[in-house]
Amino acid sequence: MRLRSLGVALAATAALAALPTAHPSAGAAEIPLPQGKTVTASSEENPGPAAAPAVDSGPGCGTADAARGRPATASSTENAGTPASAAFDGDPGTRWSSQAADPQWVRVDLGSVQDVCKVDLDWETAYGKDFQIQASADGQNWTTLENVTGATGGTASYDVSGSGRYVRIRGTARGTGYGYSLWEVAVHTGSTGVPPVQGGGDLGPNVIVVDPSTPNLQRKFDDVFARQESAQFGTGRYQFLLKPGTYHGINAQLGFYTSVSGLGLNPDDTQIDGDITVDAGWFNGNATQNFWRSAENLAIKPSNGTDRWAVAQAAPFRRIHVQGGLNLAPNGYGWASGGYIADSRIDGTVGPYSQQQWYTRDSSVGGWSNGVWNMTFSGVQGAPATDFDSGPYTTLDTTPVSREKPFLYLDGSGYKVFVPAKRTNARGVSWPAGPGNSLPLDRFYVVKPGATAATINAALAQGLNLLFTPGVYHLDRTIDITRADTVVLGLGLATLVPDNGVDAMHVADVDGVRLAGFLIDAGPVNSDTLLRIGTPGAGADHSADPTTMQDVFVRIGGAGPGLATNSVVVNSDDVIIDHTWIWRADHGGGVGWETNRADQGLRVNGDDVLATGLFVEHFNKYDVYWNGQRGRTIFFQNEKAYDAPNAAAVTHDGIVGYAAYKVADSVTSHEAWGLGSYCNYTADPSIVQAHGFQVPVTSGIRMHDLLVISLGGKGQYAHVVNGTGTPTSGTGTVPSKVTSFP
């Protein structure tokens, strides 16, 4: 919840409330505190500036008062004559005083994130007995630098160590029956002995920056592809960055954890007269495991007129201009299970062929030739019309709310990150010259392999954004995003692994955080929540500047044992989830019903959350549990857990099988389009799942174009949604559909 000032504005002529004027006994007495601090109690009626005892404040702690004259707020004021600002004005004859209640606080804005090394307090007779000295980078999320109990007032000085833009004195127990009252608060800043984290710099060893004149360019692509073609659970991570210009005769084949991006401000600035290719030769022509790779922000003129992009989940195709056609199937038209296109222009026809499902957003296509089960479009010029009764298509004319993913580009010789603006009811591409703002690289901590979570959090506390270069990052503590509009951008599928059961990342309930382009891989000790957006109980309105989660993927198992009770929890309102694959592994290492246990994939508690391109699979309980009001989903792809040992293991509340997508019984407004759930109960093919989707039956719930499928007869569904829809049967892999519910 956002903290708000509760200052009381009274008439300027209001009399000051009388407070007792008796101070502690005459003379100065040193009183030991539980923390080993000392206070000096003064007998003067109006003491001068706080005379802090001589203490060692550590190296580089300044003597100046960084808080003097800075903006101040308080939880309350006793009257107009005792404002928060009076505690920071340097005048020993003025004071802040609060209402007579607990808790109360007063805080100051230092103007920027600074190292805080000492805080001096000069209490009026109405003092705080128990209080905390706290710091915050954003004024909402606080770190306690000193917890004081049993204090007796007077003047005191506290050595602290931490950083923040805001410093707060938060009283929890008063020493008198009156409110809290401070003559002065002084804040000292300086070096804590830890050098600040530097922004900018080079992009590390796994980013390959090229231009059209780079020698042996084709060999560079080939060498990385040879390492990554079949390295599904390997540790290699690579990002190709192509400077603007024209590249002739190139075929960039992309394997696992390989990304290729243009460095122009617009896709047509980087022209490939050749191909960017994803095929499935490594897997005998089966493209259903072509995960974790991407292409972005460039133009392709395919060598034979059609580019091949045969992918499955977690393989975004963004901001691409294909000057020809696009084939989404592997050579030989084997199985394929993708996929996602956004903000792209395909001049020719898109041929899905064997692709089972696909979502395309805010793009234009010259044509779309076919589909298998579930092809969903929003804001796509040239998209086929909806025909879900007899075919695979669900088409929305526009996307209600969208904002494109941030991307790295070159401005002259310097790198910048472009952060696109929000669009409403979008249709077609955002480029050229789409609205947004640019951030220079020196406003980012460029995170490289070996970086620690402590350094990452220190960079965030300084107000830096994060650019993760390709690599695998083990975290011994949670990454805390607390500042509004922070950008966290990954290159080359940078991967975060929480160790020892910590959560990987928390985002505060603030405006406009951008999370994009990275993978979270669960560790072997259970994490409660791998990614949490917003604090529990959050309720602030972020509709003008929502937080976005784009191409952020989550994996539990596969690369080894992984455990997480919840994968992603969204508590904030108005969040946009734009393309995610949240996957409990069904193959690879560390896979088993309990070995890589993860109860829930996505849990949405916030209101007005929008998901565009939602892929969630194989969880032990609910894949998606939607608890917020007015949620919307455009396209959902799901498989139930292959390894459920028997029907009893997934039976709850008298229902066999947890719904792939459940809207909580308390929700009164929700809408979704183009949703598919498939079962492949290989451990026990006799399981009959009650339904794929479970929602309250009320006029505010509207579900469009739902299907369930039994893959080869390995398990069945009794219904599509609640008790509605025909059951699947046999081995024919034929969808059962409901076009509208209720």
Side-chain angles (χ1 to χ4, degrees):
M1 300 289 287
R2 177 167 294 165
L3 296 171
R4 303 181 187 277
S5 171
L6 300 176
V8 178
L10 300 177
T13 57
L16 293 177
L19 283 178
T21 56
H23 283 261
S25 59
E30 288 193 348
I31 307 167
L33 293 179
Q35 291 77 16
K37 308 293 180 183
T38 59
V39 299
T40 302
S42 171
S43 63
E44 297 178 16
E45 184 67 29
N46 282 315
V55 293
D56 180 7
S57 301
C61 193
T63 58
D65 180 5
R68 181 169 296 187
R70 300 298 306 174
T73 54
S75 55
S76 68
T77 56
E78 185 183 11
N79 54 54
T82 58
S85 59
F88 303 96
D89 61 2
D91 183 346
T94 62
R95 61 186 173 91
W96 163 71
S97 62
S98 75
Q99 295 175 355
D102 293 310
Q104 299 290 334
W105 52 261
V106 64
R107 77 176 191 184
V108 64
D109 179 359
L110 303 179
S112 63
V113 175
Q114 299 183 43
D115 292 328
V116 179
C117 50
K118 187 171 72 168
V119 176
D120 303 327
L121 302 181
D122 183 13
W123 291 101
E124 206 267 348
T125 307
Y127 64 92
K129 182 177 69 173
D130 298 343
F131 58 90
Q132 296 93 42
I133 300 173
Q134 299 177 315
S136 170
D138 60 1
Q140 300 179 56
N141 298 274
W142 297 89
T143 298
T144 297
L145 307 181
E146 188 78 20
N147 185 45
V148 179
T149 59
T152 55
T155 60
S157 182
Y158 299 90
D159 292 337
V160 296
S161 178
S163 64
R165 173 173 174 169
Y166 302 89
V167 174
R168 180 170 75 170
I169 312 303
R170 182 179 183 270
T172 55
R174 289 163 289 139
T176 71
Y178 298 93
Y180 295 86
S181 184
L182 279 160
W183 294 109
E184 284 296 309
V185 178
V187 178
H188 302 275
T189 62
S191 171
T192 59
V194 178
V197 179
Q198 297 299 314
D202 69 88
L203 299 179
N206 300 324
V207 174
I208 303 166
V209 183
V210 301
D211 62 40
S213 64
T214 297
N216 301 314
L217 179 53
Q218 183 63 53
R219 184 181 300 173
K220 291 181 184 294
F221 286 116
D222 293 346
D223 287 348
V224 171
F225 181 65
R227 290 192 289 270
Q228 300 301 114
E229 180 183 10
S230 59
Q232 182 170 179
F233 298 111
T235 58
R237 303 287 187 272
Y238 297 94
Q239 172 77 57
F240 284 95
L241 295 176
L242 278 59
K243 294 182 180 180
T246 301
Y247 297 76
H248 295 286
I250 294 298
N251 181 17
Q253 299 184 81
L254 301 186
F256 287 98
Y257 313 109
T258 306
S259 299
V260 58
S261 304
L263 283 172
L265 190 55
N266 290 297
D268 288 333
D269 295 340
T270 304
Q271 176 74 52
I272 295 179
D273 288 347
D275 300 276
I276 294 178
T277 301
V278 178
D279 207 343
W282 74 279
F283 201 44
N284 300 315
N286 179 347
T288 59
Q289 293 184 24
N290 280 351
F291 313 137
W292 304 306
R293 62 201 76 196
S294 67
E296 183 174 0
N297 195 38
L298 45 78
I300 309 168
K301 187 176 182 180
S303 55
N304 70 353
T306 301
D307 193 63
R308 186 183 301 279
W309 186 257
V311 299
Q313 291 84 353
F317 193 83
R318 286 185 182 269
R319 203 174 168 84
I320 304 288
H321 184 190
V322 180
Q323 297 163 344
L326 186 63
N327 183 344
L328 303 180
N331 186 27
Y333 302 98
W335 291 345
S337 180
Y340 175 90
I341 293 171
D343 202 26
S344 294
R345 177 178 294 139
I346 294 94
D347 295 341
T349 297
V350 179
Y353 303 108
S354 56
Q355 277 289 352
Q356 296 163 357
Q357 64 275 317
W358 201 276
Y359 174 57
T360 308
R361 177 184 63 73
D362 296 0
S363 296
S364 68
V365 298
W368 194 276
S369 64
N370 76 302
V372 178
W373 296 329
N374 184 16
M375 302 279 139
T376 301
F377 308 83
S378 67
V380 179
Q381 298 165 337
T386 295
D387 71 346
F388 199 76
D389 280 323
S390 58
Y393 299 139
T394 299
T395 301
L396 284 70
D397 190 57
T398 61
T399 304
V401 184
S402 56
R403 182 168 57 200
E404 301 307 327
K405 175 186 170 186
F407 62 91
L408 192 68
Y409 76 102
L410 272 175
D411 184 8
S413 60
Y415 289 108
K416 291 183 176 179
V417 172
F418 189 77
V419 184
K422 185 187 77 170
R423 299 202 290 170
T424 56
N425 298 317
R427 180 172 171 82
V429 299
S430 69
W431 47 272
N437 64 291
S438 292
L439 301 173
L441 193 63
D442 63 10
R443 291 178 60 183
F444 287 78
Y445 171 41
V446 180
V447 193
K448 298 170 188 171
T452 66
T455 302
I456 292 167
N457 281 333
L460 290 166
Q462 289 176 208
L464 292 173
N465 304 290
L466 301 178
L467 180 69
F468 280 95
T469 66
V472 178
Y473 299 87
H474 283 266
L475 308 174
D476 63 357
R477 65 188 70 181
T478 303
I479 295 175
D480 284 308
I481 314 294
T482 60
R483 179 177 59 84
D485 297 312
T486 299
V487 177
V488 181
L489 177 61
L491 302 178
L493 277 297
T495 302
L496 311 180
V497 183
D499 292 332
N500 303 317
V502 303
D503 292 357
M505 183 178 291
H506 290 170
V507 179
D509 187 34
V510 295
D511 281 350
V513 173
R514 275 78 158 179
L515 308 177
F518 57 90
L519 170 66
I520 298 175
D521 199 357
V525 180
N526 188 72
S527 297
D528 178 76
T529 302
L530 294 172
L531 172 61
R532 191 186 76 192
I533 299 176
T535 51
D541 181 355
H542 304 295
S543 57
D545 186 15
T547 286
T548 52
M549 171 184 169
Q550 301 178 282
D551 301 348
V552 173
F553 310 120
V554 175
R555 179 172 70 195
I556 300 95
L563 296 165
T565 303
N566 302 287
S567 298
V568 178
V569 174
V570 176
N571 293 313
S572 288
D573 294 349
D574 308 295
V575 171
I576 299 172
I577 304 169
D578 178 44
H579 190 226
T580 186
W581 186 37
I582 304 171
W583 185 60
R584 177 181 167 265
D586 61 277
H587 63 274
V591 172
W593 185 247
E594 297 295 341
T595 306
N596 65 325
R597 187 172 183 88
D599 284 350
Q600 295 188 109
L602 171 67
R603 184 180 181 93
V604 178
N605 298 320
D607 296 337
D608 301 294
V609 172
L610 170 66
T612 52
L614 183 58
F615 299 74
V616 188
E617 298 187 305
H618 307 150
F619 285 85
N620 294 76
K621 292 184 178 180
Y622 292 112
D623 298 285
V624 172
Y625 189 95
W626 207 294
N627 196 43
Q629 297 288 353
R630 297 178 300 280
R632 291 176 291 183
T633 294
I634 304 173
F635 181 86
F636 171 67
Q637 186 268 327
N638 166 263
E639 287 178 348
K640 296 303 300 172
Y642 292 4
D643 56 349
N646 48 54
V650 292
T651 297
H652 63 100
D653 305 309
I655 299 170
V656 178
Y658 288 87
Y661 188 106
K662 176 177 171 61
V663 179
D665 295 344
S666 59
V667 173
T668 58
S669 178
H670 189 90
E671 191 163 13
W673 299 260
L675 287 75
S677 177
Y678 321 144
C679 72
N680 187 38
Y681 285 122
T682 55
D684 183 359
S686 70
I687 295 173
V688 179
Q689 168 109 7
H691 42 232
F693 306 93
Q694 185 182 7
V695 303
V697 181
T698 178
S699 61
I701 307 291
R702 292 168 292 174
M703 308 293 285
H704 312 274
D705 296 357
L706 315 175
L707 63 85
V708 295
I709 300 171
S710 168
L711 299 178
K714 300 293 179 66
Q716 303 290 340
Y717 291 90
H719 302 286
V720 179
V721 52
N722 295 4
T724 298
T726 58
T728 58
S729 61
T731 61
T733 314
V734 177
S736 294
K737 296 182 176 182
V738 169
T739 56
S740 181
F741 185 86

